Structures are given as C-alpha cells and as structure tokens.
Amino acid sequence: MNGMLNAIKKIYGEIIKLFPHEFQDESGEELLGIFSAMVNEAARKGKLALVTVCLQEMRDFPVLLAWEHLERMTMNRIFRLQPVQSVLRGIAVFSVGLAFAGVFIANLSHQPLIFGVQNGSPYWKYMLPGLRGYLLAAVVGGMIFELAFGNHRHPGWYALVGTLGWFLPLATLYTLTFAFWNIMLNGIQQITLSIAEMILEGACLGLMFSVARSGRRLYLWLLLGAILIFPSLAYSIPLLLLHTRLLTTLSISHSPWFFTAVFTLVVIFIACIIFMGIKIEGDMPWLVILGAVGYAILAYANENIISFLYLHLALPKYYYDPFHIAYVIKVGIAGITLGILFGIAVGLILAWQERNSRQVRI
Amino acid sequence: MKSEHILAYLPLTETTFFIVLSLAISEKHGYAIAKDVEGLSDRRVVLSTSTLYTALKRLLADGLIERSGEDPEPDESGRPRKTYTLTTLGCRILDAETVRLRSLVHAAKVHSVGEEA
C-alpha cells in the first residue's frame, strides 16, 4: 500500500508541473501537502476510499489547469501567438474575399450565354461584362491579402499576386460554367464536375500563397499565363465539342463524351496548379494540397451551416434573383462562413510551416 | 460598510458558505478546512484539492479570508502548512448569509404550518 501511495503522490507531483511556473512556486507545495494528507487518510479507510479521492482529483484538476493557464495568459498575449495570428489573418483574407466574391458575382456576373446564342452573337461578347464582377472581387481579395500578409519591403506584391490568385479560379470557373448548358450533363456528372471545380478553386487559392511567399516574378508571370490559358481553354474546348456534336448529331442532350472531355480539362487544370506548387515550393505544396482537398469538403460543410443559419434566422431560403437583397445577404453570409472555415485551415497550415522552418533554422 | 455592498456577495454557494463557516470557528490550514467542510455538511460537500484551491483563491481575491501565516505543526512530510482566517468583511457576509438562510427557513416553516392547518 505504501508503494502505491508514494506512486500516486509522485504522479500528482508530476501533474502539478503542468501548471504555470508562478502557480507552482506559489501553491504547488500547498496543493501537494493537502493531496498527500487526503490520500493518506483515504488509504487508512480502504482502497475504495483511495480510488474515490483519485477519481475526484482527476475530475477536477483539468478545469483548474486550464483556468490557471488562461488566467496568466492575457488576451494580448493570446493574440500575439503565431498560430493565432496566422489563423486570424487566414480568416480575414478568405471571409472578406469570399463574401465580396459572392456579392459582386451575384450582382454583376449573371449573364447567361443563352442570350448570346439566341441573338446569334459570339459567346465571348456576353462573357466580358460578367468578368467585371470577378475582377472587382479579385482586386478586393488582393487588397485584403496585402493587408493581412504583405510585408513592408515589397509593398503591393501581395496585392498583385492576390488579385491574380483570386482572378484565376474565378475567371476559369465562370467561363466554364457559361461555356455550355447544364442540360448537356446528367445529375451525377454535374455534381462530379462541381466537386472538381471546387478542388480547382481551392488549389488556386493555395497556390496564391506559394507564389506570394516565393517573391519571384517568374511565378507571377506563370500565374498571369494561367489566367490567359485556363479561361481560353475552358471557353474553347466545350464550345468546340458542342459545335462538333451539333454538326454530327444535331442534338445537345448529354453524352458521356462531353462530360469526359470537360472533366478531363478541369483535372488537367488541377494537375497544372499542383505542379506549379511543387515547382515553387520545391517540396510538398501543403497549402495547394489543403486547398484542393479541404476547400471542397469545407464548402460542403458550409452548405449545412448556411442551411442551419437560414433555418434559425428565418431568412428566405429560395431567392435566386441576384438583385434581391435577401439573395445578396445569403451569398455574403455563405462567403463569410466558408471563409472562416477555410481561413482557419489555411492559418493552421501556415503556422505549422512557420514552426517547421524555425526548427530548421535553429 | 454599507449593507448594499454586503448584499452584493449573497447568496453564497454551499461550498463557499461551509468554508467561511469553518474559518469563523478558528483559523485553519487547507486540509483542515476540507475536513471541516466535510463534517459540517454531513459529507454532502467533499472537496478535492482543485475545488478547495479555487474556492480559497476566490475568497482571498474578494477579501473574505486572508492568509494568517503558517501552522506551527507541519504536515506528515514535514512541509509547512499555510493557514487562513476570516476577515471582518468575511464575518459580516457570513452573518448576512445566515440571516438570509434563517429567513428562508422561517418562510418555509410558516408555509408548511399554513398547509397543515
């Protein structure tokens, strides 16, 4: 019994070492003394009493431990912690960026190409006005990126990279969305393609960090090149397929080939982004990977959060008129919540990378 | 001391009440307080070291108790034991809480007498 008692007291002594140093100096001895007296008396009563005392301590000490650490850590110190800063910056960039993207796009970019087809005008003429919204959203996204992550030595660099980084997925997906009609795809194909599109969007947002941190103009040019090439291909390939199909079968109904071609195109885009990430980082491009995998998952989770919010805020759920204020609010809230989720994930990866790089430097 | 100031501390939690009551009898060290609380509450309130420490710390911060030095008799391991005593504010708050509890009991008694009638 004595051996067990000593072991229990020793373990308690080790637990006290988990508390802040000031606490250990001030009250560690006192607590250990009280605990020793308690277990000594419990041991005299029997094993059950001893177990009860130990269980009681196990139940209560985590709260005291957390409280003592929190109390000594002022809010100012919490906000100065590197991981907290990274997460807050990530949240700022993506919540503001995605909210603005949603709102601008909702108001400025809804210009279905079907009107162009009806009027016999070229498609692209109807696409250009819509790009205003995406460009504005990208500029706002770039400015927030500069404010949150930019450094004084290269003012404007993050704004430039951020603008291009936001514009690349927005322009590509916009072009792709309006380059063909959804009726050419069946339900499963539409869902599969939208997941691939989200993976592309997330990967591009991750790549934005890689390019910005590299500080090299070559990668900025690559980003600019992608902005010209991706939307051009997203515009021309489906159109080419559509015309070919109309020439051969005079039908626009869905076909597996059409989906395969468009899906492959998006997969190629994703592969290019990941390749660029590897080239820039010279290692595993974790932010690009996180963007590719995490963004789609978080966007799905966000749908549920938005549904929950709308259910509890009693806001109208089915408004698709882009000029209706309820629709704009909904798009804005969806952007903010997705931005918070994605920002936290990006912030944590940034903090982890920062910690690793510090360890390497040491 | 204004009575409104005292009333701001009321009602006391059961744990706080028993700790203050224990120290009203005499100054004590931590373990003696825990044992006394257990006895006074008829074993309904059994304090762990964490709960006891948190309660003592809050009472010290609020000025209801103060450290009165060290017990001349060290614990079994020879460690010195800090002792605590009730302050004047603590005494007044304990009195006010006792009056409050007494009035509650009185109200309950009157009510039950009315029911019996």
Side-chain angles (χ1 to χ4, degrees):
Chain A
M1 195 72 160
N2 272 345
M4 197 205 288
L5 271 181
N6 288 335
I8 291 171
K9 287 175 197 171
K10 202 166 182 183
I11 291 169
Y12 192 81
E14 292 303 313
I15 287 172
I16 285 181
K17 286 180 188 166
L18 297 174
F19 283 89
H21 292 295
E22 300 95 317
F23 176 90
Q24 288 181 44
D25 296 341
E26 193 183 302
S27 312
E29 280 285 305
E30 188 183 6
L31 279 191
L32 194 56
I34 298 172
F35 180 74
S36 297
M38 279 181 175
V39 289
N40 284 342
E41 196 195 308
R44 281 193 284 273
K45 288 179 186 167
K47 281 183 183 168
L48 186 66
L50 185 62
V51 170
T52 309
V53 168
C54 293
L55 287 177
Q56 223 175 6
E57 286 303 325
M58 279 167 65
R59 182 196 63 194
D60 293 344
F61 102 86
V63 179
L64 180 64
L65 181 68
W67 183 250
E68 286 299 325
H69 276 287
L70 273 177
E71 205 179 41
R72 280 167 171 79
M73 196 182 276
T74 61
M75 289 311 278
N76 196 22
R77 273 172 70 185
I78 291 173
F79 283 119
R80 260 190 259 154
L81 289 174
Q82 207 271 328
V84 177
Q85 275 201 6
S86 295
V87 166
L88 288 176
R89 287 173 183 183
I91 289 174
V93 166
F94 291 109
S95 59
V96 176
L98 288 171
F100 269 91
V103 171
F104 279 139
I105 290 158
N107 279 291
L108 298 169
S109 300
H110 268 265
Q111 193 82 310
L113 296 181
I114 195 163
F115 299 123
V117 177
Q118 282 171 345
N119 295 338
S121 310
Y123 284 171
W124 60 267
K125 271 197 171 179
Y126 287 86
M127 279 173 53
L128 289 182
L131 282 173
R132 283 176 309 166
Y134 290 89
L135 195 58
L136 263 172
V139 169
V140 172
M143 280 161 61
I144 302 291
F145 194 47
E146 172 77 33
L147 284 173
F149 290 98
N151 61 49
H152 301 301
R153 279 176 293 174
H154 305 287
W157 170 254
Y158 272 73
L160 192 59
V161 174
T163 303
L164 296 181
W166 276 98
F167 191 63
L168 172 62
L170 296 178
T172 307
L173 295 181
Y174 167 71
T175 313
L176 197 66
T177 307
F178 290 104
F180 60 91
W181 296 326
N182 273 347
I183 54 164
M184 287 183 255
L185 303 175
N186 66 32
I188 295 170
Q189 288 171 343
Q190 283 180 27
I191 292 169
T192 312
L193 189 64
S194 69
I195 291 170
E197 287 175 352
M198 278 192 280
I199 290 173
L200 175 64
E201 192 172 351
C204 289
L205 293 175
L207 184 74
M208 182 170 84
F209 283 88
S210 299
V211 175
R213 285 189 304 193
S214 75
R216 292 184 63 183
R217 285 188 180 183
L218 170 69
Y219 299 131
L220 190 75
W221 285 113
L222 270 177
L223 204 57
L224 199 61
I227 285 174
L228 295 173
I229 295 166
F230 282 19
S232 304
L233 288 175
Y235 172 76
S236 55
I237 299 283
L239 209 63
L240 191 69
L241 285 166
L242 179 64
H243 280 293
T244 310
R245 189 157 176 78
L246 283 171
L247 282 173
T248 53
T249 65
L250 292 173
S251 162
I252 56 164
S253 61
H254 60 80
S255 77
W257 292 110
F258 189 84
F259 167 75
T260 308
V262 175
F263 183 73
T264 308
L265 188 66
V266 177
V267 170
I268 290 170
F269 288 161
I270 295 167
C272 287
I273 296 295
I274 293 174
F275 179 74
M276 276 170 73
I278 294 170
K279 197 85 185 143
I280 296 168
E281 299 276 345
D283 195 0
M284 186 64 88
W286 287 113
L287 281 168
V288 179
I289 302 289
L290 167 83
V293 180
Y295 190 78
I297 295 169
L298 293 174
Y300 175 74
N302 191 48
E303 280 296 313
N304 292 314
I305 293 171
I306 288 299
S307 303
F308 176 82
L309 283 178
Y310 268 70
L311 200 69
H312 288 78
L313 296 176
L315 288 167
K317 198 174 179 183
Y318 300 107
Y319 267 114
Y320 294 108
D321 177 2
F323 298 103
H324 198 288
I325 188 70
Y327 178 80
V328 174
I329 290 171
K330 183 181 176 177
V331 170
I333 293 174
I336 290 169
T337 49
L338 177 58
I340 290 171
L341 295 176
F342 191 57
I344 291 171
V346 167
L348 289 174
I349 292 282
L350 285 171
W352 173 69
Q353 286 183 326
E354 174 71 19
R355 192 182 155 192
N356 281 355
S357 69
R358 260 190 217 158
Q359 279 173 352
V360 168
R361 281 201 293 271
I362 289 164
Chain B
M1 181 102 31
K2 287 180 181 175
S3 61
E4 300 94 68
H5 181 64
I6 301 283
L7 291 175
Y9 289 89
L10 305 185
L12 297 179
T13 63
E14 199 174 8
T15 306
T16 308
F17 178 76
F18 282 124
I19 291 175
V20 174
L21 184 63
S22 165
L23 291 175
I25 301 162
S26 63
E27 66 168 28
K28 287 182 183 70
H29 54 76
Y31 178 63
I33 296 171
K35 292 312 301 168
D36 209 25
V37 166
E38 212 175 304
L40 287 167
S41 68
D42 221 4
R43 288 193 57 77
R44 269 186 303 109
V45 180
V46 180
L47 298 172
S48 65
T49 49
S50 306
T51 316
L52 175 69
Y53 176 82
T54 310
L56 289 177
K57 196 177 158 187
R58 203 184 56 250
L59 291 172
L60 280 169
D62 288 347
L64 273 73
I65 62 170
E66 61 189 4
R67 284 209 175 103
S68 54
E70 285 179 1
D71 194 333
E73 199 181 313
D75 70 4
E76 291 172 21
S77 321
R79 287 188 196 90
R81 296 191 283 200
K82 289 174 189 169
T83 53
Y84 299 87
T85 185
L86 207 59
T87 60
T88 315
L89 175 66
C91 278
R92 289 184 178 177
I93 288 169
L94 179 64
D95 285 345
E97 179 67 355
T98 310
V99 169
R100 192 186 71 84
L101 290 173
R102 217 174 262 152
S103 72
L104 288 181
V105 173
H106 176 69
K109 268 184 184 169
V110 169
H111 182 68
S112 60
V113 168
E115 267 184 357
E116 279 166 18

